């Protein structure tokens, strides 16, 4: 549409210029070479003026095209600069979390208990967890422990997650027991009797790397107790109520990315109701009291 309007404007400008020069537009057109008998050519003066204005209009078109290209380049450059700035800021925040905490670790020491389908789901949850952490204003520093080279979860993480090797987090075949002092570790499990009341940047919070189908009763709790670790659960029953549903289903077991959404929101807002609203879906059978009303 812009091109058509521009050509119409240029034609009008040419018409007006020829009028001011006292040249009939018809005489400046392609049919000027044929008069009534087809033998009356344009005068040299008319042709010379017509060619001059054609050059003027062609120059105008070039300038307009160049200006559009420059404007497009400026817009694209601005968006690219914004993306680069956002990426640099996210990386800076992650590195600050690496230096000062808090720290969150996904324990993959039980990954061999899962089927291929379940392992693929866990790899997808790790991707969503990492993406949410990267965008967080106050991120955690992430670890994947017992991330064994060649294992099924190792292969699925690289297969399903583009750029996985460039994720800003620590991956290791070692156990968290080899990385952190026991008194700094808090294993988060829905079966714990202890309620997580706050997030301490000096602590390392452990999430069991299992998906819903694979969770055996109190598996993560027994694992933590065998290792003499402190445990805690999210304060779901303290701040939420059981919703009425046809299946009478209520579960405090969340996917690792949902647990992260709760922790991340709490760390930013210091509000457990806001945090639980962000991470506990209605499908779990729990809602905030206001939502139940």
């Amino acid at each position: 549409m812009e091109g058509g309007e521009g050509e119409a404007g240029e034609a009008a400008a040419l018409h007006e210029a020829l009028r001011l020069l006292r040249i009939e537009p018809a005489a400046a057109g392609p049919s000027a070479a044929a008069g009534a008998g087809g033998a009356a050519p344009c005068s040299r003066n008319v042709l010379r003026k017509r060619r001059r204005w054609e050059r003027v209009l062609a120059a105008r078109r070039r300038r307009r095209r160049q200006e559009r290209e420059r404007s497009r380049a400026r817009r694209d450059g601005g968006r690219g600069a914004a993306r680069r700035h956002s990426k640099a800021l996210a990386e800076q925040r992650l590195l600050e979390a690496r230096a000062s905490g808090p720290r969150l670790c996904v324990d993959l020491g039980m990954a061999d208990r899962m089927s291929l389908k379940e392992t693929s789901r866990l790899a997808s949850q790790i991707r969503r967890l990492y993406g949410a952490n990267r965008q967080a204003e106050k991120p955690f520093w992430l670890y994947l422990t017992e991330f064994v080279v060649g294992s099924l979860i190792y292969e699925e993480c690289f297969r399903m997650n583009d750029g996985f090797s460039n994720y800003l987090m620590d991956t290791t075949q070692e156990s968290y027991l080899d990385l952190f002092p026991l008194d700094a570790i808090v294993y988060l499990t829905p079966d714990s009797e202890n309620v997580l009341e706050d997030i301490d940047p000096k602590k390392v919070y452990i999430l069991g790397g299992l998906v819903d189908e694979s969770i055996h009763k109190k598996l993560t709790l027994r694992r933590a107790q065998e290792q003499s670790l402190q445990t805690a659960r999210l304060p779901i029953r303290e701040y939420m109520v059981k919703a009425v549903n046809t299946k009478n289903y209520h579960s405090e077991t969340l996917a690792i990315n949902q647990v992260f959404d709760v922790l991340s929101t709490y760390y930013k807002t210091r509000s457990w109701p806001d945090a639980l609203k962000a991470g506990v879906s209605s499908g779990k059978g729990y809602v905030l009291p206001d939502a139940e009303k």
Side-chain angles (χ1 to χ4, degrees):
M1 185 63 71
E2 292 183 2
E5 293 177 353
E7 292 175 0
E10 291 167 358
L14 175 59
H15 187 286
E16 179 63 15
L18 294 175
R19 187 186 68 78
L20 293 174
L21 292 169
R22 300 175 183 245
I23 301 172
E24 290 298 324
S31 62
C42 294
S43 68
R44 292 181 178 178
N45 189 43
V46 170
L47 292 175
R48 184 170 59 252
K49 291 180 179 180
R50 186 179 70 182
R51 285 194 293 270
R52 184 182 68 185
W53 278 101
E54 286 174 347
R55 289 194 297 271
V56 169
L57 293 176
R60 288 180 181 175
R61 284 193 290 269
R62 285 195 300 272
R63 286 196 297 271
R64 289 176 181 173
R65 184 171 60 252
Q66 291 168 354
E67 181 58 32
R68 286 196 297 270
E69 292 173 352
R70 284 194 292 268
S71 296
R72 189 179 301 113
R74 285 195 295 269
R75 288 195 301 270
D76 293 344
R79 285 193 290 265
R83 285 193 294 269
R84 290 191 294 273
H85 176 72
S86 178
K87 180 180 179 181
L89 184 58
E91 292 178 354
Q92 178 184 341
R93 289 170 175 165
L94 286 171
L95 294 176
E96 288 173 354
R98 185 181 193 179
S100 58
R103 293 164 291 179
L104 187 68
C105 170
V106 179
D107 169 21
L108 298 174
M110 299 171 285
D112 58 355
R113 297 172 181 263
M114 296 186 295
S115 66
L116 174 58
K117 177 183 176 182
E118 293 164 348
T119 303
S120 297
R121 285 191 59 192
L122 178 58
S124 178
Q125 291 173 12
I126 290 172
R127 180 183 67 244
R128 291 197 291 270
L129 190 161
Y130 177 80
N133 189 53
R134 185 179 178 82
Q135 297 300 319
E137 291 183 18
K138 300 177 69 175
F140 288 63
W141 182 252
L142 303 179
Y143 297 83
L144 299 184
T145 56
E146 297 191 52
F147 189 59
V148 179
V149 175
S151 64
L152 187 55
I153 185 60
Y154 180 93
E155 298 295 339
E156 286 300 284
C157 281
F158 277 93
R159 183 183 70 83
M160 297 184 63
N161 303 338
D162 291 338
F164 183 80
S165 60
N166 296 321
Y167 280 12
L168 277 178
M169 63 180 181
D170 283 333
T171 61
T172 176
Q173 299 190 76
E174 294 182 277
S175 167
Y176 47 85
L177 298 174
D178 301 319
L179 300 177
F180 313 110
L182 291 184
D183 59 0
I185 297 175
V186 179
Y187 207 115
L188 298 180
T189 169
D191 299 308
S192 175
E193 296 180 356
N194 306 313
V195 178
L196 182 66
E197 297 180 351
D198 201 358
I199 294 176
D200 184 349
K202 297 179 181 179
K203 298 290 187 179
V204 182
Y205 297 93
I206 311 295
L207 302 181
L210 293 168
V211 297
D212 291 353
E213 292 94 330
S214 298
I215 294 179
H216 301 280
K217 187 65 174 176
K218 298 186 177 181
L219 177 61
T220 51
L221 178 62
R222 287 199 304 271
R223 181 173 172 83
Q225 289 175 337
E226 289 169 359
Q227 297 169 344
S228 301
L229 299 176
Q230 179 185 351
T231 64
R233 60 174 174 83
L234 297 178
I236 294 176
R237 67 189 76 157
E238 282 70 28
Y239 289 91
M240 307 186 85
V241 296
K242 292 182 177 181
V244 178
N245 59 67
T246 56
K247 296 182 179 180
N248 194 31
Y249 174 78
H250 305 90
S251 174
E252 297 180 45
T253 300
L254 308 180
I256 60 169
N257 57 294
Q258 293 173 322
V259 176
F260 173 78
D261 289 341
V262 174
L263 297 176
S264 178
T265 304
Y266 175 78
Y267 193 54
K268 175 184 176 182
T269 65
R270 297 294 171 175
S271 166
W272 280 119
D274 289 346
L276 294 167
K277 182 178 179 180
V280 181
S281 66
S282 59
K284 292 296 179 179
Y286 282 91
V287 295
L288 293 172
D290 291 343
E292 180 70 5
K293 296 177 184 178

